Amino acid sequence: MKVARVATDAALGRTFDYEVPEAFAARVQPGTLVRISFGNRELDGFVMELSDATAYAGTLKPILGVADGEPLVSPALLRLAKWMAAYYLAPLERCLKFMFPPDVRGGVLSDGFKRQLTVRAAPAQGRLLEPAPKDREVLERLGDGTELLAGFCRAWHFSAARLRRMARDGLVVIEEKIARRNPLAGRTILRTSPLPLTEEQRTALELIRGELAHCAALHPDGTAASPAPKPVLLHGVTASGKTEVFLQAIAEVLSKGGGAIVLVPEISLTPQTIRRFVSRFGDTVAVLHSNLSTGERHDEWQRIRSGEARVAVGPRSALFAPVARLGLIVVDEEQEFSYKQEDSPPRYQGRDVAVMRAHLEGCAIVLASATPSLESWHNAQTGKYLLSTLRHRAAAQEMPHTVLADMRAETARAGGRRPLFSDVLIQEIHRCLDAGEQVMLFLNRRGYAPTISCPACGYTETCENCSVSMTYHRDDQVLRCHLCGAYRPKPKVCPQCGSDQYRESGFGTQRVETIAQRLFPSARIERMDLDVTTRKASHEEILGRFRAGQTDILIGTQMIAKGLDFPNVTLAGILNADISLSVPDFRASERTFQLIAQMAGRVGRGVKPGTVIVQTATPEAPAIELARTENFVAFAQEELQQRAALHYPPYTHFICVTFKGEDAEQTRQYAEAFAKVIGPGGDAFVVGEPGPASIEKAKGLYLYQMTLRGESPRLLLTRLRTAMAACPVPHGLSVAIDVDALTVP
Ligand code: ADP
Ligand code: ZN
Ligand code: ZN
């Protein structure tokens, strides 16, 4: 008897055995979607494995139906899902969910395509009847074309019944066609050709081509050189032409009949970025970003699966695109935190899963960045990855000039209150505006003021659900919690003492806008942050106005720090670099370095050189001083020494376990019991005692956490599995395990 192990959504984390009836035997493979009866329901499930025997004592139920066509999930992707489930301690079904869009999952019976009826005139020789005058009008309107039935009837005021009757009479042909929902519909994109490469770019491309020669999918006749390709870290300063290098590597993959996946951080997946790929490769590009409607996503996915599209571009989850004969994966801006899924299991690191997919499929992978993650850098240093470096900007633009504004001196000059704008920044902005150039100002805090308090009694407005202060939003005169979204009107008087003298302290982007408008009254200023871009198009509109030169100064949060390419921007100001440096996180330096380098990447991209001004009270911090000279290598060396000494990644795997509960005491007790099972790490790993999280309460729940770090993930995962089995999670409590955590909540 043939037995299929089937996983379903109805029971996470386990599989059930079903008999494979003779009639289905040829079509049921691992990865096939099947219909099963489960309890008293019928469900869809995935075949994980086939076997000849079962451990189940009773009589197995048979599989009831099988989806048509190839298995939805290829064997390689199925293996990838299993690896993710084991490594990230997540239910397998949750991992499988990434492998296809929800509509495809629609079931065995429905494939999620949008079908439309079309109509065209039947060939004249086959007609049995002479058309009536009104029918003749229909045929004239149709001419030689094929029209959508509904649209055609609406446009010319014909009834659908008439056309159906005409179809019966053999005058027209009505057919069902699959309609593609195209996310790029209505955009004209001109084709571009590969640029002649610089010396450095050519060396980089050669290195990647060398790895493509090891790629099995590109040499199906078995001529691929062994061993398997090694990952390539493409380290190039901003605007050094990394994108051009991997575009040409992709062209090579396509010329050999292969396909490619390009991961781009969600935030940089702008129309501008998409245009760069489509202009080079045309319709063979499928875009998978999260703004797509489910229908569009389904159709793009199907275009990849059918081989019509061979280059998949998208954020994190595009790494699971069903590209056949996968030759190359590119992870652009590989250091980006957004590649990590944090909020729900599997809490996976997209970059690392991409490396694993490349490994499982024997394809090449390129990780590109101006400021690689220390994990990837370390791998390149130890020879696990190959390293290629671009030291110069491609179009020979000058590297930007970075100036540190010492805010200690500015504060003293301003009589003890830290000003928002340093003198040097004000001067530079004036110079820029006079020259007709553009400015970007970065502050990673939205709202008007991050705290508001009463000077008379010290009362501070905090959120009722979270242990954080409420941010004052002047646009709509409310206090807002950035953690849970709660808001309330700003009180007229202090709720504690009745004083009407509220004090706003600190700066958010709204306040920057107000002050900038006062300092530069004739400048045209716009702000871009989460508060103004909640409408779908406004992000694009704001950038469009900036590109068209209708805005002089663009103020924003990290939305403006990444990937934007505006040649007329010659000045970038980081208003407070100390915010990111003071985050209680061992990666604070790394993030600060990245931020400064990213802002440097925004300026001087055209013919005019650029300047970056970094306002900081700690100009001597290595992250800031070395970022000033864009000396990544020195920074990495310094930072790696510290990480090694303290047993932090990349020398260890860092795991954060967060316990959330309605009751603080119960949560604490559970966390301690859990930690007891984990036990001391001895020489093998370091255990951080469980304690309240830095934000003790969020969204009404109390947060406790513990951290683990050690060299052997296997050992850590085993301990965690043991603890999970030994400590059943009580009602009202939840445990989140984040393997290779990037942020500690
Ligand atoms: P990166 O990905 O490293 O930030 P890009 O590939 O975006 O760099 O290139 C930066 C700019 O330089 C772009 O405007 C690009 O068109 C241009 N560029 C890239 N390679 C070349 C080249 N070989 N010759 C001329 N211009 C180039
Ligand atoms: Zn008060
Ligand atoms: Zn809150």
Side-chain angles (χ1 to χ4, degrees):
M1 182 177 61
K2 212 165 155 192
V3 176
R5 308 240 131 87
V6 179
T8 77
D9 280 348
L12 293 182
R14 51 178 301 200
T15 55
F16 299 87
D17 287 359
Y18 285 83
E19 186 197 337
V20 183
E22 211 34 61
F24 295 149
R27 286 161 59 203
V28 174
Q29 296 168 40
T32 308
L33 188 62
V34 292
R35 194 92 182 147
I36 51 170
S37 108
F38 188 88
N40 50 9
R41 290 180 291 167
E42 277 191 20
L43 299 174
D44 291 334
F46 264 91
V47 178
M48 294 287 132
E49 268 171 356
L50 292 173
S51 169
D52 298 325
T54 178
Y56 184 65
T59 314
L60 291 187
K61 292 187 204 164
I63 281 174
L64 303 175
V66 182
D68 286 334
E70 291 283 296
L72 266 187
V73 181
S74 70
L77 283 175
L78 196 58
R79 272 196 293 162
L80 189 65
K82 287 181 183 172
W83 176 82
M84 284 172 74
Y87 186 80
Y88 294 107
L89 295 173
L92 180 58
E93 295 71 19
R94 291 281 181 87
C95 302
L96 279 169
K97 280 212 163 122
F98 293 103
M99 307 292 159
F100 38 85
D103 275 28
V104 179
R105 186 73 195 247
V108 173
L109 301 176
S110 130
D111 59 13
F113 280 109
K114 179 173 176 187
R115 292 187 164 75
Q116 287 177 321
L117 294 177
T118 62
V119 57
R120 61 186 163 85
Q125 62 269 34
R127 286 180 195 156
L128 302 172
L129 296 169
E130 191 51 36
K134 187 84 180 176
D135 290 355
R136 199 169 311 132
E137 194 191 328
V138 171
L139 293 172
E140 275 162 17
R141 296 276 182 223
L142 279 173
D144 296 333
T146 303
E147 302 279 350
L148 290 179
L149 180 65
F152 179 76
C153 291
R154 211 167 31 241
W156 302 106
H157 304 289
F158 298 125
S159 75
R162 167 178 298 278
L163 277 103
R164 291 231 167 70
R165 204 250 312 129
M166 288 175 69
R168 276 197 306 276
D169 292 347
L171 294 170
V172 299
V173 180
I174 294 179
E175 282 168 324
E176 197 179 60
K177 288 233 169 80
I178 288 180
R180 174 181 166 200
R181 290 154 289 191
N182 181 358
L184 297 177
R187 294 210 183 120
T188 339
I189 298 179
L190 296 176
R191 291 300 281 254
T192 57
S193 321
L195 298 170
L197 297 183
T198 64
E199 189 67 39
E200 283 185 333
Q201 285 175 313
R202 211 164 33 240
T203 311
L205 182 61
E206 279 313 312
L207 185 79
I208 299 167
R209 292 175 70 175
E211 295 316 293
L212 292 175
H214 293 268
C215 181
L218 302 183
H219 305 269
D221 54 353
T223 56
S226 62
K230 263 192 184 185
V232 173
L233 177 61
L234 179 58
H235 172 220
V237 297
T238 49
S240 57
K242 298 182 288 296
T243 310
E244 185 62 36
V245 170
F246 61 69
L247 285 175
Q248 297 197 19
I250 293 168
E252 161 132 353
V253 169
L254 291 174
S255 75
K256 291 190 168 156
I261 295 174
V262 184
L263 302 187
V264 178
E266 180 88 60
I267 206 163
S268 345
L269 203 57
T270 56
Q272 192 186 4
T273 312
I274 293 167
R275 199 169 294 128
R276 277 189 93 173
F277 290 94
V278 178
S279 65
R280 196 61 66 85
F281 303 119
D283 228 20
T284 198
V285 175
V287 181
L288 292 166
H289 65 80
S290 59
N291 271 350
L292 301 189
S293 66
T294 26
E296 286 170 338
R297 189 160 338 144
H298 168 271
D299 289 2
E300 288 296 88
W301 188 88
Q302 290 289 4
R303 284 202 321 123
I304 299 167
R305 188 162 124 92
S306 70
E308 186 190 324
R310 292 191 292 148
V311 180
V313 180
R316 186 170 68 211
S317 62
L319 85 90
F320 304 108
V323 175
R325 292 189 60 195
L326 184 59
L328 177 65
I329 303 177
V330 175
V331 185
D332 194 18
E333 305 287 352
E334 64 91 30
Q335 84 290 351
E336 269 292 313
F337 278 35
S338 65
Y339 285 126
K340 183 76 166 48
Q341 167 156 311
E342 293 188 316
D343 42 6
S344 63
R347 297 185 170 80
Y348 70 102
Q349 164 55 279
R351 175 196 63 223
D352 296 349
V353 180
V355 170
M356 182 50 82
R357 178 165 184 193
H359 171 73
L360 291 175
E361 303 207 15
C363 78
I365 180 164
V366 173
L367 310 177
S369 176
T371 53
S373 64
L374 291 176
E375 283 78 3
S376 298
W377 185 252
H378 181 64
N379 282 332
Q381 297 299 310
T382 57
K384 225 172 129 182
Y385 295 175
L386 302 175
L387 177 65
S388 183
T389 309
L390 307 177
R391 291 184 177 78
H392 306 282
R393 290 197 159 179
Q397 307 98 320
E398 279 175 54
M399 288 302 287
H401 175 58
T402 301
V403 178
L404 304 183
D406 187 340
M407 297 311 281
R408 289 172 302 199
E410 298 278 340
T411 305
R413 246 204 312 278
R417 272 190 86 168
R418 181 175 166 139
L420 180 61
F421 285 86
S422 58
D423 287 347
V424 52
L425 183 57
I426 294 176
Q427 275 166 25
E428 279 294 310
I429 293 176
H430 277 303
R431 187 197 54 73
C432 238
L433 295 174
D434 292 346
E437 296 164 11
Q438 290 170 298
V439 182
M440 281 184 171
L441 296 176
F442 172 88
L443 182 70
N444 207 10
R445 260 183 196 158
R446 60 196 173 88
Y448 186 82
T451 35
I452 100 166
S453 52
C454 168
C457 72
Y459 174 84
T460 302
E461 292 285 352
T462 54
C463 177
E464 284 166 10
N465 310 319
C466 314
S467 55
V468 298
S469 63
M470 298 286 266
T471 299
Y472 173 44
H473 285 245
R474 211 166 75 163
D475 286 5
D476 36 12
Q477 292 288 322
V478 296
L479 302 172
R480 218 181 270 285
C481 171
H482 287 182
L483 217 58
C484 72
Y487 61 93
R488 54 179 185 252
K490 180 187 171 193
K492 298 261 183 303
V493 298
C494 170
Q496 193 163 281
C497 75
S499 157
D500 58 0
Q501 297 290 306
Y502 257 122
R503 184 190 294 147
E504 293 137 2
S505 48
F507 300 96
T509 44
Q510 288 179 8
R511 196 167 188 184
V512 176
E513 190 181 9
T514 312
I515 296 174
Q517 202 66 76
R518 209 161 57 219
L519 287 171
F520 313 103
S522 58
R524 295 160 300 172
I525 301 178
E526 271 210 82
R527 175 164 63 85
M528 189 162 92
D529 56 29
L530 208 62
D531 297 316
V532 283
T533 58
T534 32
R535 281 188 307 121
K536 191 176 170 183
S538 69
H539 187 258
E540 221 175 295
E541 288 163 14
I542 295 171
L543 293 179
R545 285 192 289 271
F546 196 52
R547 182 179 312 283
Q550 294 161 3
T551 311
D552 302 309
I553 302 179
L554 182 64
I555 295 164
T557 52
Q558 66 255 53
M559 277 182 194
I560 66 163
K562 298 178 182 172
L564 302 177
D565 184 1
F566 300 106
N568 196 36
V569 176
T570 57
L571 177 64
I574 298 175
L575 294 172
N576 190 349
D578 305 328
I579 298 179
S580 74
L581 205 53
S582 63
V583 174
D585 176 350
F586 67 90
R587 286 190 176 88
S589 293
E590 186 178 3
R591 288 201 211 194
T592 307
F593 187 95
Q594 287 168 355
L595 168 67
I596 297 173
Q598 271 160 3
M599 286 308 288
R602 307 286 65 81
V603 301
R605 295 180 75 91
V607 286
K608 289 169 260 179
T611 303
V612 184
I613 293 178
V614 181
Q615 301 196 142
T616 171
T618 51
E620 65 285 345
I624 291 184
E625 174 49 30
L626 293 169
R628 187 178 67 78
T629 47
E630 248 194 85
N631 193 342
F632 175 78
V633 178
F635 170 73
Q637 200 172 6
E638 159 122 19
E639 185 67 16
L640 283 176
Q641 272 171 14
Q642 304 226 7
R643 300 274 184 94
L646 299 169
H647 306 289
Y648 275 117
Y651 299 95
T652 53
H653 289 267
F654 179 79
I655 299 177
C656 179
V657 188
T658 306
F659 309 91
K660 265 189 214 178
E662 293 155 15
D663 182 278
E665 182 54 22
Q666 186 196 29
T667 313
R668 187 185 63 77
Q669 282 175 7
Y670 180 87
E672 277 166 7
F674 193 95
K676 214 173 204 153
V677 180
I678 298 275
D683 289 341
F685 56 90
V686 183
V687 185
E689 287 289 302
S694 60
I695 293 171
E696 294 176 30
K697 190 181 172 199
K699 303 180 188 176
L701 298 175
Y702 292 90
L703 265 59
Y704 270 73
Q705 66 191 192
M706 70 180 295
T707 59
L708 303 168
R709 51 194 208 272
E711 275 170 47
S712 159
R714 191 176 310 141
L715 190 66
L716 292 166
L717 295 175
T718 307
R719 292 279 182 105
L720 284 166
R721 272 194 213 99
T722 310
M724 277 171 16
C727 308
V729 184
H731 186 74
L733 216 140
S734 68
V735 181
I737 298 179
D738 191 348
V739 177
D740 295 334
L742 282 183
T743 50
V744 179

